[in-house]
Amino acid sequence: MDLENKEQVESGLSLVDIFNIIKASWIMITISTMLIGLVTVFYVFNFVEDQYRSTSEVLLQLPVTGGQIDSNTLLNSQRLLDTASQFARSPHIVDQLQDPEYKNLFTNPAHVVLLDSLTTRTIINNISVSSSNTSFILRLSYVSSDGNFAQVMTSVLTTILIENDIDMFRGAFIELSPASAPVDDSPSRILFIVVGLMLGGIVGIGLAFIKHLFNNSYMNKEQLEQGTGIQVIGVIPNFEMKESKKK
């Protein structure tokens, strides 16, 4: 039979089917995109705080043995630099912020209250230390929603680092530049909104395909033939009736 010799129609969705599903559900996709986009805008402008960063620069002095600098010394010094970067963010440094000697450096009472409200882990998460493989300079930064507090924290942390009591690093740090004026380091609100709109579109398209998944109707005659095993001998086309004007 000719029907038996026909090629089997794939059960998967073609690009045309995907386009038709999206086209048929464009209203739902648009509503989903706009709804999640509006929620994102509301969240961004009400709950995402501005962030400010202050940075200081500290030089790690190169340990020299016998007045000579060789490749072995440079290698060990680079390892020391990596250790110093982690040391600058360690609880040993951060916990000293509660020492009266250093806490008195916070002259603003509001900053003292803010400091007391922060946990050690939160402070460490707001500290960043960067270094370069070509120099022995550490850049210590602190980020906060209060720009002045960020600058004071950077200054005090730098002081604690320089005055540390660890034998390995005692007298090893020299301040090159004080804590800088706070600069805006806020997350991009536009990026948040774009991601929200994209997420809304993806959710809308996902709902459209879920709706199609639970739809047991056939979209074309090939699917009808494959689903029922009966050959379609005729298709009624769609056409519009024009009403004749009565005289």
Side-chain angles (χ1 to χ4, degrees):
M1 294 178 62
D2 293 337
L3 182 59
E4 294 177 351
N5 294 330
K6 284 185 176 181
E7 295 182 356
Q8 297 294 326
V9 179
E10 295 183 358
S11 59
L13 292 174
S14 65
L15 291 177
V16 175
D17 293 334
I18 294 174
F19 174 78
N20 289 333
I21 292 172
I22 295 176
K23 181 180 178 182
S25 304
W26 71 270
I27 295 179
M28 180 177 64
I29 295 173
T30 302
I31 292 175
S32 173
T33 302
M34 297 304 298
L35 181 61
I36 296 182
L38 289 174
V39 172
T40 304
V41 171
F42 177 80
Y43 172 79
V44 165
F45 286 97
N46 288 276
F47 297 101
V48 176
E49 295 182 329
D50 291 330
Q51 298 292 317
Y52 300 91
R53 179 184 298 273
S54 177
T55 304
S56 66
E57 291 186 341
V58 178
L59 174 67
L60 176 63
Q61 297 187 83
L62 183 67
V64 179
T65 304
Q68 298 293 327
I69 299 178
D70 53 22
S71 58
N72 205 20
T73 301
L74 291 173
L75 177 61
N76 290 333
S77 299
Q78 189 59 52
R79 291 173 178 170
L80 184 63
L81 182 64
D82 295 336
T83 304
S85 298
Q86 298 181 41
F87 175 66
R89 298 179 69 246
S90 67
H92 180 80
I93 295 294
V94 173
D95 288 343
Q96 292 185 59
L97 289 168
Q98 295 298 331
D99 189 308
E101 177 185 356
Y102 299 112
K103 199 170 186 178
N104 289 335
L105 298 177
F106 292 86
T107 57
N108 189 332
H111 290 169
V112 177
V113 173
L114 181 55
L115 174 64
D116 290 337
S117 69
L118 299 175
T119 64
T120 299
R121 180 49 53 189
T122 300
I123 295 175
I124 290 176
N125 290 338
N126 291 334
I127 298 173
S128 62
V129 181
S130 62
S131 59
S132 170
N133 291 330
T134 58
S135 69
F136 294 92
I137 297 176
L138 296 177
R139 291 176 178 84
L140 189 151
S141 302
Y142 189 83
V143 176
S144 173
S145 58
D146 185 326
N148 293 328
F149 180 73
Q151 186 174 15
V152 175
M153 280 288 284
T154 302
S155 178
V156 176
L157 287 169
T158 302
T159 301
I160 295 173
L161 182 63
I162 292 173
E163 298 178 355
N164 77 89
D165 56 355
I166 301 299
D167 291 339
M168 174 186 263
F169 294 113
R170 183 180 287 116
F173 298 102
I174 299 176
E175 184 178 16
L176 295 180
S177 65
S180 65
V183 295
D184 193 348
D185 194 47
S186 305
S188 174
R189 287 185 168 87
I190 295 178
L191 180 61
F192 268 95
I193 295 173
V194 170
V195 172
L197 292 173
M198 292 176 61
L199 179 61
I202 293 172
V203 170
I205 294 174
L207 291 175
F209 279 96
I210 291 175
K211 178 182 176 182
H212 171 74
L213 184 65
F214 289 97
N215 183 9
N216 57 4
S217 62
Y218 298 104
M219 299 180 63
N220 50 53
K221 73 180 187 67
E222 287 80 9
Q223 292 181 358
L224 178 60
E225 288 177 343
Q226 185 176 13
T228 62
I230 301 174
Q231 183 178 12
V232 177
I233 59 176
V235 178
I236 301 176
N238 293 325
F239 59 90
E240 297 181 357
M241 291 288 294
K242 293 185 179 180
E243 297 182 359
S244 58
K245 295 182 180 180
K246 294 182 178 180
K247 295 183 179 180

